[in-house]
Amino acid sequence: MGGCASKDKAKTEATGANGSNTPAPATNEDDVKSEDTMVDQAVLDKLEAGYAKLAASDSKSLLKKFLTKEVFDNLKTKKTPSFGSSLLDVIQSGLENHDSGVGIYAPDAEAYSVFADLFDPIIEDYHGGFKKTDKHPPKDWGDVDTLGNLDPAGEYIISTRVRCGRSLEGYPFNPCLTEAQYKEMEEKVSSTLSGLEGELKGQFYPLTGMTKEVQQKLIDDHFLFKEGDRFLQAANACRFWPTGRGIYHNDAKTFLVWCNEEDHLRIISMQMGGDLGQVYRRLVTAVNDIEKRIPFSHDDRLGFLTFCPTNLGTTVRASVHIKVPKLAADRAKLEEVAGKYNLQVRGTRGEHTEAEGGVYDISNKRRMGLTEYEAVKEMHDGIAELIKLESSL
Ligand code: ADP
Ligand code: DAR
């Protein structure tokens, strides 16, 4: 159920969020395709049942908040033109997981415009006011030499990480990828990254064939993505696993690239300690180098396109693993204080996890409506305030 109805015969051209794909030549396929624009009854039945359950639940998700009956009725019969993604493909994760924070994903780029009545208010709420009439600013990494070490004495910050996401032009998102596309993308990514030099030089390790021990060690050391995220599974984002999935990293594991976890690429710089400047400079160098080799999907209004709307725009998440025992004596209080600085609190193993040994992952929440530099600066300034507060208690 769900999934991209027409993925087998659809163009593999990912389209801009405004559905700007080149119209298919007039063939009898158009007749077939015109039938495909109808959402089948089984999908409608599943949508109605899921919507009723969500409406009756105590879910706090943004999906529940913004999927009003009017929006639901307006969107339930729509499908994206190129891949036939339905409203069910967009919201099934949030229908199955009422504890979602957000609850929706874009199966393909056109979903952001076809289902804009649902995506736009959720984007505005999550990114602190990015309205449907707003336009994300052009990429701007700023002056990379203006960020320093957030904790030179090493009293609070254990490690620092800055990541961004990128989608390869010409491919839809996870739920619409074919097994052949996963394999093609993995080959394209590993061969492109093999050209990196200097500090970025490393090796690609496919998940296929990786021993469970090696995989678990990389996950436990915070280098590799977790497996079996129920939110991604419910979004139909884990098909053909582990085909097409893998990780590239340099020897020091300070530069890493994830292939086909949630997004096509996650480009990551990280190291022990609080030297945000060094981590940021490494990421900027790497992204600029990779962007010369692979074209990425970018939308005029939404910025860099990603599977989840929380990652659109800059796609940047800058985080510290930090111990602030006085502030964190009460997690709700910590989240309230962090929220004042537009910061998000996650557990030690990332989102949807708890803190272990008092170690929290705290990062910028906003990724749209500001530049890459401003997003990282927002984290920098917020963390500096939290440390000031902690040391004053
Ligand atoms: P993202 O979406 O940014 O990849 P996740 O919440 O899924 O974030 O976390 C991915 C992994 O990155 C997890 O293992 C998490 O512990 C790790 N991580 C995040 N921030 C840091 C950090 N500052 N230092 C070390 N590991 C980190
Ligand atoms: N599980 C989803 C994810 C929200 C944002 N995190 C991402 N995209 N990894 C939720 O709605 O909670």
Side-chain angles (χ1 to χ4, degrees), residues 53-82:
K53 270 197 204 141
L54 181 67
S57 79
D58 63 352
S59 172
K60 303 285 181 295
S61 69
L62 294 181
L63 172 65
K64 168 127 196 243
K65 182 175 176 182
F66 293 104
L67 186 63
T68 62
K69 188 73 175 67
E70 183 190 2
V71 168
F72 176 74
D73 288 339
N74 171 29
L75 297 181
K76 65 187 179 185
T77 56
K78 290 184 187 291
K79 287 171 89 170
T80 59
S82 296

Side-chain angles (χ1 to χ4, degrees), residues 100-103 105 231 262 308 310-311 351-352:
S100 295
V102 179
Y105 295 93
F231 303 93
E262 172 176 329
C308 178
T310 64
N311 286 314
E351 67 174 340
H352 304 124

Side-chain angles (χ1 to χ4, degrees), residues 23-266:
T27 64
N28 62 0
E29 186 183 45
D30 282 347
D31 304 338
V32 174
K33 195 167 170 203
S34 62
E35 283 157 28
D36 279 5
T37 53
M38 293 308 291
V39 173
D40 59 60
Q41 192 55 48
V43 170
L44 287 172
D45 293 345
K46 194 159 187 189
L47 276 169
E48 294 290 352
Y51 178 75
K53 270 197 204 141
L54 181 67
S57 79
D58 63 352
S59 172
K60 303 285 181 295
S61 69
L62 294 181
L63 172 65
K64 168 127 196 243
K65 182 175 176 182
F66 293 104
L67 186 63
T68 62
K69 188 73 175 67
E70 183 190 2
V71 168
F72 176 74
D73 288 339
N74 171 29
L75 297 181
K76 65 187 179 185
T77 56
K78 290 184 187 291
K79 287 171 89 170
T80 59
S82 296
F83 295 96
S85 299
S86 67
L87 178 64
L88 184 62
D89 296 318
V90 171
I91 70 173
Q92 58 194 351
S93 182
L95 294 182
E96 291 179 34
N97 298 286
H98 289 174
D99 59 340
S100 295
V102 179
I104 73 171
Y105 295 93
D108 62 67
E110 293 170 339
Y112 283 114
S113 46
V114 172
F115 302 101
D117 287 353
L118 178 58
F119 274 108
D120 287 346
I122 286 179
I123 285 169
E124 180 171 2
D125 186 298
Y126 180 87
H127 294 280
F130 187 85
K131 293 183 179 46
K132 63 182 181 185
T133 50
D134 287 340
K135 198 172 169 199
H136 182 71
K139 181 180 69 181
D140 182 356
W141 297 105
D143 178 350
V144 295
D145 294 322
T146 54
L147 295 167
N149 191 323
L150 274 162
D151 179 19
E155 292 174 80
Y156 304 96
I157 295 175
I158 293 146
S159 50
T160 302
R161 175 178 185 268
V162 184
R163 65 82 164 158
C164 66
R166 288 291 184 272
S167 300
L168 273 62
E169 228 172 47
Y171 295 89
F173 300 135
N174 267 313
C176 297
L177 287 171
T178 63
E179 187 167 19
Q181 286 175 315
Y182 274 112
K183 290 177 179 169
E184 196 180 282
M185 294 168 84
E186 178 181 349
E187 173 48 39
K188 201 173 272 193
V189 169
S190 59
S191 59
T192 300
L193 298 175
S194 67
L196 294 176
E197 292 298 331
E199 184 191 17
L200 306 180
K201 188 170 179 54
Q203 190 175 333
F204 184 84
Y205 304 88
L207 232 56
T208 304
M210 186 183 284
T211 66
K212 283 297 172 201
E213 293 71 26
V214 167
Q215 185 182 359
Q216 194 55 53
K217 178 84 171 62
L218 284 168
I219 293 172
D220 291 346
D221 291 347
H222 309 291
F223 297 125
L224 181 61
F225 43 83
K226 302 183 276 290
E227 198 169 312
D229 178 304
R230 61 188 160 93
F231 303 93
L232 290 177
Q233 286 183 331
N236 226 3
C238 303
R239 291 152 55 252
F240 311 116
W241 195 280
T243 299
R245 280 77 175 195
I247 180 171
Y248 170 97
H249 64 72
N250 62 5
D251 290 345
K253 298 194 187 81
T254 52
F255 173 63
L256 311 96
V257 180
W258 292 353
C259 181
N260 280 326
E261 181 232 9
E262 172 176 329
D263 283 312
H264 296 163
L265 288 186
R266 287 289 174 84

